[in-house]
Amino acid sequence: MSGKRDKGPAGNPWVNEPGPDEVQGDEPAEQLPPSPWNLEVQPPPSSWGGSATPGPNGPNGPDSPSGPGGPGSGPATQTSSSWGDKVGPPSLRRPLPEKKRFQLPKIPPLLIPIGAGLLVVVIVAIVLVALSGGDHKAGPDNPPSTPVSTPTAPKSSYQPPSNAIPVGFGVSVVPAQGWIVYTKEKAGKELAVYPPNDTANARAFFWVRQKRDVTANAYLLGIVEGETENEVAQLGNVRNLPCPRDVLVECVAIDYSSTFTKNGAETKIKGSVEVYRRKDGVVTALDFRTNADFAPKAEADAAIMKKSVIDSL
C-alpha cells in the first residue's frame, strides 16, 4: 500500500458505460398501433354528379365516378369546383314558404244555374227599362205615375133644362122654385130654402154629391152618420130601391128623424138619403133634410129635384 487513495477505474462510478460488446447501432423506436383518427375517410357520395371518391387520375379524372367518363358526369361535375361554377352547394336553411295567392271562394255547383238565372232576369229588366225610356225619378217613394182615366158619362137622351145646375160626371139638378145654391158647400151642389126675410136659418136642404169606387150602401151609411152626429136620431132600415135606369147597378135609401137643441130651442128634423151607383163606378147621393113643421112643402119640392137628378144619371 502506498498510502494513496485508490481512485479506482476512471469515470463515474454511478454510470454504467457500455462495454465494447454492448456498443450497437441505434435501437429502432417503439412502433405505436395505428390510430383510427389517422385513417383516411372517404367522402360521401355526391348528389350533384355521383361519388366524390377520387379515381386513379384524381377526383375528376377520367376513370373516377365523377370524371367525364364516370356515371356522374354532367355539367356540374365537369368544372373545377365540386359543385360547379354556377351551382352552389345545397343550403341547410329551410326554403321560404311560398306566398299564398288570392283565390276566389269556391262556388257550390248548385248555385251556378241560380246565379245565371238571376243574371238573365237583371239583364232583361235593364233592357226593358232602356227601351221604355226609364224614369229616373221613379222609386219606392216616387212610383211611376200612371194616367188616371176619368170615367165618361154614359150617353143619354136626356137634355137638362137651361136652369139645371151641373154637379159632375154628366149629372145635374134642377132647383125647385124658391131653392137657391148654398154657397158654403164645396163638394157637390147643395140647395137650400129660407123663410121670408130670413137668410140665416134655412128650412130645408137638398144636397147632391158624388164619389167614386165605393158601394152605394157604404156611402149612404157615412152620410147618415155625419148628418145625425150631434143629434138624437132614430134611423130606419136601409132598403133597396128599384133602379130606375139600366145604367144603374145599385140603388139604396134610408129615412131618419132626429132632434137637436139650439139656443135653448128644440128642433125636430126629418130626413132621407138615396144613393145610386152607375156601371162606371160613379156614386151619386141625394141628401134631403128639412124641419118637421116644413116637411110637407119640402118633400114635394124634393121629389121634383130628385127626378131631375135621376133623369141625368
Side-chain angles (χ1 to χ4, degrees):
M1 291 181 65
S2 64
K4 294 182 182 180
R5 174 184 271 183
D6 188 9
K7 296 181 181 180
N12 190 345
W14 304 100
V15 177
N16 293 326
E17 294 182 3
D21 297 335
E22 295 177 359
V23 176
Q24 299 177 359
D26 296 335
E27 185 178 355
E30 183 178 0
Q31 296 295 326
L32 298 176
S35 173
W37 304 104
N38 294 331
L39 297 178
E40 183 179 359
V41 179
Q42 297 296 332
S46 173
S47 61
W48 296 89
S51 175
T53 305
N57 297 328
N60 297 320
D63 297 335
S64 65
S66 60
S73 63
T77 60
Q78 295 177 2
T79 61
S80 59
S81 171
S82 60
W83 302 103
D85 291 339
K86 298 182 181 181
V87 180
S91 175
L92 298 180
R93 295 182 180 179
R94 293 183 179 180
L96 295 176
E98 295 183 2
K99 294 182 178 180
K100 294 183 179 180
R101 298 180 180 179
F102 174 76
Q103 296 181 352
L104 294 174
K106 294 184 179 180
I107 301 175
L110 182 60
L111 296 181
I112 294 177
I114 298 177
L118 293 177
L119 182 60
V120 171
V121 172
V122 172
I123 293 175
V124 172
I126 293 175
V127 172
L128 292 177
V129 171
L131 293 177
S132 62
D135 187 2
H136 65 280
K137 295 182 180 180
D141 298 331
N142 297 313
S145 57
T146 55
V148 179
S149 60
T150 302
T152 57
K155 294 182 180 180
S156 174
S157 59
Y158 173 75
Q159 295 294 329
S162 58
N163 60 340
I165 301 174
V167 179
F169 302 104
V171 178
S172 61
V173 57
V174 177
Q177 186 177 1
W179 292 71
I180 61 175
V181 175
Y182 189 65
T183 57
K184 292 183 180 181
E185 290 298 340
K186 303 298 182 182
K189 297 296 181 179
E190 185 173 10
L191 304 175
V193 60
Y194 295 89
N197 302 324
D198 185 2
T199 58
N201 299 304
R203 288 180 171 179
F205 292 95
F206 185 83
W207 192 357
V208 183
R209 46 187 163 178
Q210 296 175 313
K211 200 169 185 179
R212 292 184 55 196
D213 302 327
V214 296
T215 64
N217 188 74
Y219 199 23
L220 178 143
L221 294 177
I223 292 174
V224 172
E225 290 178 359
E227 291 285 8
T228 61
E229 182 177 3
N230 298 319
E231 301 174 354
V232 179
Q234 293 180 351
L235 304 180
N237 295 325
V238 179
R239 64 184 187 277
N240 292 322
L241 298 176
C243 292
R245 298 192 58 194
D246 294 340
V247 73
L248 303 175
V249 294
E250 185 182 6
C251 307
V252 292
I254 190 174
D255 297 327
Y256 69 90
S257 61
S258 63
T259 302
F260 73 92
T261 302
K262 182 178 180 182
N263 299 328
E266 185 179 89
T267 302
K268 293 183 179 181
I269 300 295
K270 291 184 65 177
S272 66
V273 180
E274 297 181 8
V275 182
Y276 301 89
R277 182 167 65 93
R278 291 192 318 203
K279 293 179 179 179
D280 60 356
V282 175
V283 183
T284 303
L286 310 180
D287 179 9
F288 169 65
R289 177 182 174 90
T290 180
N291 293 343
D293 57 1
F294 190 67
K297 170 63 174 164
E299 289 175 349
D301 292 345
I304 297 173
M305 292 186 287
K306 285 180 182 180
K307 184 177 184 304
S308 67
V309 174
I310 292 173
D311 289 344
S312 67
L313 291 174

